[in-house]
Amino acid sequence: MIKGRLKMVTKDGEEVYEAGQAFYWPPGHAPVALEDCEYVDFSPTDEFTAVIDHITSQG
């Protein structure tokens, strides 16, 4: 997290992340922004493309 705070909901529960923290979010996570956030996300290309394709087809 570069800036802000967010809560990540996973099958194992919830955790709040704040600026300065590193994180790993397993498949099936659902973010809840607690304030404006900026973060860097590294994901495998094929899996990331599938997620973006799914999101953009829901419109």
Side-chain angles (χ1 to χ4, degrees):
M1 293 287 300
I2 297 169
K3 176 183 171 183
R5 291 181 9 158
L6 64 79
K7 176 172 61 175
M8 188 57 62
V9 180
T10 69
K11 66 179 182 167
D12 297 324
E14 301 176 350
E15 189 161 348
V16 173
Y17 297 92
E18 298 182 349
Q21 290 184 289
F23 54 83
Y24 168 75
W25 297 331
H29 59 271
V32 177
L34 301 176
E35 57 189 62
D36 288 344
C37 299
E38 294 178 11
Y39 62 87
V40 177
D41 189 1
F42 297 94
S43 298
T45 301
D46 292 341
E47 289 86 345
F48 184 72
T49 299
V51 169
I52 296 303
D53 289 346
H54 174 74
I55 292 169
T56 58
S57 71
Q58 302 301 307

